[in-house]
């Protein structure tokens, strides 16, 4: 099997080259949407494969590969955010990896392996481990049992406990070259690849996701409000925005503020090129100090804003603040 995505080829070869003596804890760090998770999965499968290819990659057809691909390899554990039932019966992703999950992984690595090879624990996103979970995991990272490999994936490695970070061999995955990402998006049948790539800040997997499903419609619903701060009623718009997924809302608003700042400081739009004119007008009008404060709050509070409690109220308060930028 080759690298999961063409821009990961160099990183993939580097990881594979360690297969004879793999790092006991590998941290794959870098921006979201570049395929770190897929790389981690490919690495786990390569370690578990029982008939690997000459370069060490998984064969994709042995029994171990079959179990891995169907999610049932007994020597593999994925520690990730769990789905939970929300108040209205909807499924929501938990906001943290809980200590029970970490303890289960710790117990798992103490068992003897089912097959003769490695045992792999993949933690993704590792920065979502809550403190208790991180501490539970730290204990085994300090003295990992034989033939055990931990792979941690993180968009925000600075949020990891320094003691966890220091136990890991770190591999940084950067943004792919624009041309390569664009080529891949075109190959995936994505229309308007260049615009979407700019919108997603250069992350091809986000760009593809944006091109699917209703995210573009949601984006438009948010942008139409942001583009006309003098005409919107915070209460009405807050209600309407409530229907937009919190993550999308956060991303769109964050990039919009980023563009207003870019207009102000560099005279150009970075993300929302299709709104360049509006952004130029608004950016020039906006108060820099207030804009910086709002952008900073947005960056820090992204997770809190994503909390559904009093969502409409939160959005309304945010809009009032946003409107004051242009007083
Ligand atoms: Zn195999």
């Amino acid at each position: 099997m080759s690298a999961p995505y063409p821009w990961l080829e160099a990183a993939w070869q580097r990881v594979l080259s360690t297969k004879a003596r793999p790092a006991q804890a590998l941290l794959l760090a870098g921006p979201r949407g570049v395929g770190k998770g897929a790389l981690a999965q490919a690495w786990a499968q390569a370690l578990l494969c029982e008939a690997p290819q000459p370069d060490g990659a998984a064969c994709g057809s042995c029994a171990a590969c079959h179990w891995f691909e169907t999610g049932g390899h007994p020597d593999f554990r994925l520690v990730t955010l769990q789905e939970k039932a929300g108040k209205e019966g909807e499924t929501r992703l938990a906001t943290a990896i809980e200590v029970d999950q970490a303890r289960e992984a710790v117990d798992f690595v103490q068992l003897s392996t089912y097959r003769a090879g490695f045992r792999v624990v993949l933690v993704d996103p590792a920065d979502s481990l809550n403190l208790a979970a991180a501490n539970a995991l730290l204990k085994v990272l300090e003295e990992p049992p034989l033939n055990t490999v931990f792979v941690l994936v993180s968009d925000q490695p600075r949020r990891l406990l320094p003691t966890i970070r220091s136990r890991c061999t770190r591999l940084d995955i950067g943004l792919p070259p624009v041309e390569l990402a664009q080529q891949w998006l075109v190959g995936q049948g994505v229309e308007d690849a260049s615009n979407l790539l700019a919108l997603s800040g250069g992350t091809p997997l986000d760009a593809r996701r944006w091109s699917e499903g209703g995210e573009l419609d949601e984006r438009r619903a948010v942008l139409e409000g942001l583009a006309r701060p003098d005409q919107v009623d915070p209460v009405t718009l807050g209600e309407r925005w409530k229907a937009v997924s919190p993550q999308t809302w956060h991303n769109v608003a964050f990039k919009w503020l980023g563009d207003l700042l870019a207009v102000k400081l560099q005279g150009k739009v970075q993300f929302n090129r299709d709104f360049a004119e509006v952004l130029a007008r608004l950016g020039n009008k906006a108060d820099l100090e207030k804009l910086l404060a709002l952008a900073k709050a947005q960056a820090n509070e992204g997770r809190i804003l994503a909390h559904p409690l009093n969502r409409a109220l939160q959005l309304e308060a945010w809009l009032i603040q946003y409107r004051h930028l242009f007083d």
Side-chain angles (χ1 to χ4, degrees):
M1 289 207 265
S2 49
Y5 301 104
W7 58 86
L8 293 176
E9 198 53 51
W12 178 228
Q13 290 308 326
R14 227 176 113 191
V15 174
L16 278 183
S17 73
T18 67
K19 200 171 168 194
R21 290 198 57 182
Q24 289 199 299
L26 174 68
L27 169 60
L28 295 176
R32 51 168 283 130
V34 297
K36 299 182 302 298
L39 192 72
Q41 293 269 353
W43 178 225
Q45 186 173 354
L47 289 167
L48 295 167
C49 173
E50 289 167 9
Q53 296 175 342
D55 66 354
C59 71
S61 52
C62 69
C65 279
H66 177 72
W67 291 327
F68 186 87
E69 285 169 8
T70 50
H73 198 295
D75 292 324
F76 176 72
R77 282 289 183 289
L78 174 64
V79 182
T80 188
L81 295 170
Q82 286 177 326
E83 283 188 348
K84 290 185 168 174
K87 276 191 189 138
E88 286 151 31
E90 79 284 11
T91 50
R92 289 181 25 208
L93 221 49
T95 51
I97 294 175
E98 306 287 344
V99 67
D100 294 353
Q101 295 174 263
R103 286 205 189 110
E104 202 275 329
V106 171
D107 290 345
F108 162 70
V109 300
Q110 316 292 348
L111 301 170
S112 55
T113 56
Y114 284 85
R115 309 289 286 187
F118 286 104
R119 177 173 36 207
V120 185
V121 177
L122 172 52
V123 187
D124 181 8
D127 42 75
S128 294
L129 289 163
N130 70 21
L131 188 60
N135 277 320
L137 209 59
L138 184 59
K139 289 200 187 106
V140 277
L141 284 178
E142 280 167 344
E143 276 176 71
L146 208 63
N147 291 334
T148 300
V149 171
F150 287 90
V151 186
L152 281 70
V153 175
S154 177
D155 304 338
Q156 298 168 294
R158 276 184 305 179
R159 289 171 55 102
L160 292 170
L161 285 185
T163 39
I164 287 202
R165 262 198 326 252
S166 71
R167 297 284 158 198
C168 295
T169 303
R170 176 166 168 165
L171 179 62
D172 283 282
I173 313 277
L175 288 176
V178 173
E179 215 164 289
L180 194 56
Q182 225 158 281
Q183 231 175 48
W184 178 80
L185 284 168
V186 170
Q188 296 284 307
V190 172
E191 289 173 26
D192 207 13
S194 138
N195 255 337
L196 279 173
L197 192 62
L199 250 179
S200 69
T203 63
L205 300 183
D206 278 350
R208 182 177 65 178
R209 201 164 45 80
W210 280 69
S211 76
E212 295 161 351
E215 292 212 39
L216 280 178
D217 294 336
E218 291 196 333
R219 168 178 180 261
R220 195 143 296 130
V222 177
L223 288 180
E224 276 167 9
L226 291 172
R228 293 177 300 167
D230 46 339
Q231 291 167 37
V232 299
D233 166 37
V235 179
T236 316
L237 195 57
E239 273 300 322
R240 193 180 324 150
W241 279 359
K242 212 173 68 172
V244 175
S245 85
Q247 194 59 47
T248 300
W249 181 85
H250 176 70
N251 283 339
V252 174
F254 187 61
K255 285 185 174 126
W256 184 263
L257 295 177
D259 270 346
L260 288 175
L261 273 173
V263 164
K264 225 163 174 70
L265 303 174
Q266 299 153 27
K268 61 170 196 223
V269 166
Q270 197 187 346
F271 303 113
N272 301 282
R273 291 196 210 149
D274 44 347
F275 280 76
E277 273 175 40
V278 183
L279 279 162
R281 186 165 46 77
L282 289 176
N284 288 321
K285 214 172 145 193
D287 178 277
L288 181 58
E289 218 168 294
K290 288 183 196 165
L291 180 55
L292 281 170
L294 188 58
K296 199 174 158 202
Q298 183 82 5
N300 290 337
E301 288 166 27
R303 281 161 190 270
I304 302 164
L305 276 165
H307 208 276
L309 280 177
N310 292 322
R311 178 106 185 110
L313 269 181
Q314 267 178 346
L315 290 167
E316 188 189 319
W318 188 91
L319 264 166
I320 291 168
Q321 235 185 318
Y322 175 70
R323 285 216 306 196
H324 282 312
L325 297 179
F326 314 101
D327 282 347

